[in-house]
Amino acid sequence: MAVSPISARFLSQQERIEIADLRQAGWSVRAIAAQLDRSPSAVSRELRGNGRIDGQYRPFEAHHIAAARRRRPRRPRWTPTPQLEAFLLEHLRQPWSPQQISRELRLRFCAQAGRPRPSQLS
């Protein structure tokens, strides 16, 4: 089974296997960290956070736990309507600044949604 690449910021499955092997061989957390070129705190957090309650560390299980924790589906802040999408595509092609586009969005779409425009609130 192919392992999908992840950011170098996170431990890879291969690094987790190496942590398990070295820990089984009796290496200290600092020695494992030096071998992997990681900080001792990262290795310690890995062993503590993704290990079992009884103290065992299983690398494939740990990788699965870490990957599940990493996935955080988020609801989009807004859902584009066809009109909004057309507006954005049209104005992003022009040399407008983000501030100009933002102002124009408020003027056009806040009034359509029945909300008062910022100028009407003053």
Side-chain angles (χ1 to χ4, degrees), residues 79-108:
T79 344
T81 62
Q83 297 86 7
L84 178 59
E85 193 171 352
F87 172 85
L88 289 173
L89 289 174
E90 173 190 339
H91 287 82
L92 287 173
R93 287 188 190 114
Q94 298 175 8
W96 283 31
S97 72
Q99 291 81 10
Q100 290 172 311
I101 293 174
S102 174
R103 182 178 185 281
E104 195 64 30
L105 274 170
R106 281 193 304 269
L107 291 174
R108 288 193 192 183

Side-chain angles (χ1 to χ4, degrees), residues 22-37:
L22 296 175
R23 194 66 180 164
Q24 184 70 31
W27 286 40
S28 70
V29 170
R30 288 188 178 278
I32 294 170
Q35 176 74 18
L36 295 175
D37 198 26

Side-chain angles (χ1 to χ4, degrees), residues 7-46:
S7 168
R9 202 176 125 221
F10 303 107
L11 289 172
S12 68
Q13 187 168 349
Q14 187 57 43
E15 287 176 312
R16 286 188 170 95
I17 292 169
E18 200 166 342
I19 288 172
D21 290 344
L22 296 175
R23 194 66 180 164
Q24 184 70 31
W27 286 40
S28 70
V29 170
R30 288 188 178 278
I32 294 170
Q35 176 74 18
L36 295 175
D37 198 26
R38 295 280 187 167
S39 69
S41 61
V43 174
S44 175
R45 274 193 313 268
E46 174 65 22

Side-chain angles (χ1 to χ4, degrees), residues 28-85:
S28 70
V29 170
R30 288 188 178 278
I32 294 170
Q35 176 74 18
L36 295 175
D37 198 26
R38 295 280 187 167
S39 69
S41 61
V43 174
S44 175
R45 274 193 313 268
E46 174 65 22
L47 290 168
R48 207 176 44 246
N50 294 329
R52 290 181 159 195
I53 295 172
D54 61 5
Q56 290 182 353
Y57 180 75
R58 306 230 171 146
F60 296 104
E61 191 176 305
H63 193 71
H64 179 72
I65 291 168
R69 192 181 303 122
R70 204 169 44 243
R71 270 185 253 126
R72 294 188 190 130
R74 291 177 39 181
R75 187 176 54 89
R77 288 181 141 184
W78 50 271
T79 344
T81 62
Q83 297 86 7
L84 178 59
E85 193 171 352

